[in-house]
Amino acid sequence: MTRVWIAIGLVCVILTLSYSEYYLCRNTSEELLEITKQIEAEDDYEQIEEYCNQMKEIWNSRKSMLEAFLYHSDADDIDNSLEKIGRLAEYKDMEKIYTECGVLQNKLISMSEAETVRPHNIL
Amino acid sequence: MFISIIRTVILYSSIIVAVRLMGKRQISELQTSELVVTMLISDIASIAVENTSKPLLGGVIPMTVLVVCELILSAVMIKSPFFRKLISGSPIVVINKGKIEQHELKRLRMSVDELSESLRQQDIFTLEDVLYAIVETNGQMSVMKKPECDTPTLKDLKINPNNSGIETVVVSDGKVSDFGISLCGTTKEKVQKIIEKKKYNIKDVFIMTMDEQGSYKIVKRSENL
């Protein structure tokens, strides 16, 4: 019976971890996606830099936890994209900002949807 | 490289915990579900050790899930004979009252050579000596010889053996073993008295065994050790 209780305890730990991952990934990606959409609609480069700093702040505050769940290469890619958008805003290159926002959005969407329970994710 | 070392140590510890939770079994005694879990755990662990870009939790969580499945499955199997039969199958009699059950051998995809080999591993070299042979759910074969071919026991020979109980190690490498002492029904004080009587120091005792009747043997530690 002790082992059954251990099994139940482990199930609780696994479910907590899984839900934390799901919640953290989904929330972070939704917040960052929202800001990327604001960047796309913005013409003012200073405001874009401001948005970019906001995204970095959100990302950096959760990165250490997210890295426990994400592939390290995926986390590095998101890091690089955020850095790139910030630099492009300094150079005032709107076209490349759009492109990089698209790349970042794709990564965020895949991060958010990777853990959603759907047949295509399971299979 | 340090990351690989730390990850390997963590995974090694996790596997030890997982195996301990699943219980003590030898590889050859594993049931179907245990064998599957053991193989999967080794595979998952090797991927997590090799691929350092993958989060460690990506290896530890599937391993934990497998252990949980195994623990729950074994608990259900104890409660439900139907489920036990479904997962582990049932023992199959391949020699029944001295007669080889050919259709059962065919069902097991076992050749006569393999049957003979299994019997030889049990020190039986003639098929005619076997009354029953049963292939157990873990794949091992249990054999019952015909009475006339079986080894006589002391009971058969009407010999009354002197039963001095189990002989256990009470001192090992200079240290008293609580387990051994409780098993042979003695006390630490008694053991120490015996050692003092022999004018030894407990640290000088390499091994000391004792049985339930109090008979003991002492092997002194070599001086150059």
Side-chain angles (χ1 to χ4, degrees), chain A residues 11 27 35 45-46 91 94 111 120:
Chain A
V11 168
N27 260 20
I35 301 173
Y45 289 105
E46 279 184 19
Y91 297 138
M94 204 59 212
M111 175 178 107
H120 71 265

Side-chain angles (χ1 to χ4, degrees), chain A residues 3-4 6-8 10-11 14 17-18 67-73, chain B residues 20-23 51-55 57 61 64-65 68 71-72 75:
Chain A
R3 289 188 185 186
V4 175
I6 292 172
I8 292 167
L10 286 174
V11 168
I14 292 165
L17 279 171
S18 304
E67 273 187 330
F69 304 117
L70 297 175
Y71 267 84
H72 302 162
S73 53
Chain B
R20 285 287 291 118
L21 276 174
M22 286 196 297
N51 189 355
T52 47
S53 77
K54 192 182 176 184
L57 279 178
I61 288 190
T64 316
V65 172
V68 166
L71 289 176
I72 292 171

